[in-house]
Amino acid sequence: MAVINKANKANYAKSRQSFLCLLIWLVFSLSLQAAVLEEDRADVLYHSYDGGGMKIDGPAILLRKKASESVALSAYYYVDTISSASVDVLSTASAYSEERQEGQLGIEYLHDKTTMALSIRQSDEDDYLANSVNFNVSHDTFGDLTNLSLGLAFSDNEIRRNGDDLFEEQSQQYRIRAGISQILTKNLSIALNIESVADEGYLNNPYRTVRYIDSSVPAGVGYQSEVYPNTRNSFSTKLSASYYLPYRAALFLHYRHFSDSWKIDANDIELSYRHPFGKTVELELKVRYYQQTQASFYSDLFSHQNAQNFLARDKELSDFDDLTLGLGVTYLIPKQFSISDWRSEVSLQWDYITFNYNNFRDPTAEAALGEEPLYGFSAHVIRAFFSVYF
Amino acid sequence: MLTNYFTRALFIAFSTSLLALTGCAQPIEPWVKPYERQNLADPIMRTNRHPIANMHIAHVYEARESARGAEGTGGGGCGCN
């Protein structure tokens, strides 16, 4: 037995040495060609989300232009027009509508094989203002077979409550991420990305309530505000693979695992397939499955008022799964119909998402308290956009 | 609070760099040459072919699901509940 252990140890040491050699060369090998910035482009998009009593739509614009061979500038503007009568809003409040605007400005600097990107972002709505800054650095190495990246982000958020001028809360979010992408064969590349997110401050939704059994009132149910912890830390790992099929088509696979300090564990897996027809049409099919466990302080119905320190009945913190089926078509506009001979294309993408909640009951249903049917809904998500490369 | 999650992220992110200090005797050559990468360079292979659409779908999922991070699209706070 001792001999076997010794042999195993020797094999382990050998394989560990090979693994170390591979990693070191991935990180530090010299490369031979300079990288280039991505091409200039402009995208104009209309987006729409319709499901679960919520309708959200609006435009978005993305511009990207090289100022020189080593500097590129980008700007992004996005609008959400929201009208909500979702199940949790209807059970304790009335339908509302609001608008959210988001703007981003970014600069990218390329030096040899290293790209540095800095962006600032603001998201503004009646009761929520988020300002964030984001920095990424990526480096091509190992004969450009490997790309390493590292990123940091900080967001400062101001939370208000409509109809209550005295309410004002703050929260901050810190993100750190790293990634490695690797060409494995002439047709296959893979990527591993990790990201840690830490939140602190006021993390509740200021409008949402939990429900509890209250025998002192005729309805038998009472409501109180949600109480969340003031911190949340999470860690995500995503593994992706892209494969070129011999008849010129592409297959993409993504798997992500997520866990956080609120005891939520989640997994999602996505498979998509892109297939060109002739020189002008591309078809894309997608299927994605997501599943999560519930937060440790979530309950659909608490046994009494102030049942525990932290209280939540947000369905996004409950145990649920969702399935997305997606279809996309891109039409590459022939050059003779393009502006100034610029290459351009028009795309339409449609996603159908079904959500199934395993511990969130529909409080609007006619049934005894705590015995209502489990909630579920479906949503249609549409993106129509025009892209031009100049 | 920068607790275990950040420690884990930092450890994985920098461990490869620390390994370089140990040195290595047998270099590995890049095995896919630049002239063999035309398939991977084909526009249909670009995961970020439609960045504006990717940003939208990432936002939709972040608003409806608890998982966040590692999407590859940046991310950031919003009151999108």
Side-chain angles (χ1 to χ4, degrees), chain A residues 25-40:
Chain A
W25 268 87
L26 290 181
V27 176
F28 287 93
S29 354
L30 293 172
S31 32
L32 300 171
Q33 295 176 335
V36 289
L37 289 168
E38 285 187 31
E39 59 197 321
D40 296 341

Side-chain angles (χ1 to χ4, degrees), chain A residues 41-88:
Chain A
R41 67 184 293 164
D43 297 85
V44 181
L45 171 137
Y46 167 78
H47 62 89
S48 160
Y49 173 97
D50 188 356
M54 286 190 91
K55 282 186 182 172
I56 305 168
D57 68 348
I61 299 172
L62 176 67
L63 285 169
R64 186 188 156 78
K65 177 90 179 86
K66 278 187 286 232
S68 69
E69 286 306 305
S70 59
V71 176
L73 304 170
S74 63
Y76 175 64
Y77 178 68
Y78 177 96
V79 179
D80 268 339
T81 305
I82 305 158
S83 76
S84 178
S86 64
V87 63
D88 39 0

Side-chain angles (χ1 to χ4, degrees), chain A residues 61-254:
Chain A
I61 299 172
L62 176 67
L63 285 169
R64 186 188 156 78
K65 177 90 179 86
K66 278 187 286 232
S68 69
E69 286 306 305
S70 59
V71 176
L73 304 170
S74 63
Y76 175 64
Y77 178 68
Y78 177 96
V79 179
D80 268 339
T81 305
I82 305 158
S83 76
S84 178
S86 64
V87 63
D88 39 0
V89 167
L90 285 185
S91 59
T92 55
S94 50
Y96 67 92
S97 60
E98 63 177 345
E99 187 177 275
R100 183 178 80 88
Q101 295 186 43
E102 179 183 336
Q104 273 188 52
L105 292 172
I107 182 165
E108 243 176 73
Y109 174 66
L110 173 71
H111 176 72
D112 194 19
K113 288 176 177 297
T114 304
T115 307
M116 284 166 275
L118 179 72
S119 65
I120 53 170
R121 169 184 177 273
Q122 184 173 78
S123 169
D124 188 12
E125 54 197 301
D126 283 350
D127 50 5
Y128 204 103
L129 176 68
N131 289 301
S132 53
V133 59
N134 190 40
F135 177 72
N136 270 307
V137 58
S138 71
H139 180 71
D140 289 336
T141 184
F142 193 48
D144 294 345
L145 251 57
T146 307
N147 178 273
L148 299 168
S149 63
L150 194 64
L152 295 166
F154 170 73
S155 180
D156 185 52
N157 310 310
E158 191 179 291
I159 305 113
R160 293 181 182 274
R161 184 162 58 198
N162 288 331
D164 180 358
D165 292 341
L166 298 175
F167 184 93
E168 187 183 333
E169 296 284 353
Q170 304 279 331
S171 73
Q172 288 79 39
Q173 187 179 78
Y174 308 85
R175 289 175 175 245
I176 181 167
R177 53 182 162 264
I180 179 169
S181 67
Q182 177 66 45
I183 293 175
L184 285 184
T185 72
K186 286 187 284 185
N187 297 316
L188 175 66
S189 69
I190 60 166
L192 176 69
N193 286 284
I194 56 170
E195 183 163 356
S196 183
V197 184
D199 291 283
E200 60 181 352
Y202 186 84
L203 307 179
N204 292 30
N205 180 315
Y207 305 102
R208 194 168 278 128
T209 57
V210 301
R211 59 180 194 162
Y212 58 89
I213 297 169
D214 185 356
S215 50
S216 67
V217 294
V221 61
Y223 295 92
Q224 69 176 114
S225 295
E226 286 189 322
V227 186
Y228 286 11
N230 286 331
T231 61
R232 184 185 182 198
N233 303 306
S234 69
F235 189 80
S236 296
T237 307
K238 186 178 182 183
L239 186 64
S240 308
S242 310
Y243 187 68
Y244 183 90
L245 293 160
Y247 50 89
R248 192 171 180 252
L251 203 57
F252 303 97
L253 180 68
H254 303 281

Side-chain angles (χ1 to χ4, degrees), chain A residues 21 184 236 248 316 322, chain B residues 24 31 42 44 65-66 68:
Chain A
C21 289
L184 285 184
S236 296
R248 192 171 180 252
E316 276 83 46
D322 64 67
Chain B
C24 180
W31 55 85
D42 192 309
I44 65 159
E65 299 170 347
S66 277
R68 71 255 174 97

Side-chain angles (χ1 to χ4, degrees), chain B residues 10 28 41 81:
Chain B
L10 283 169
I28 302 166
N81 291 316

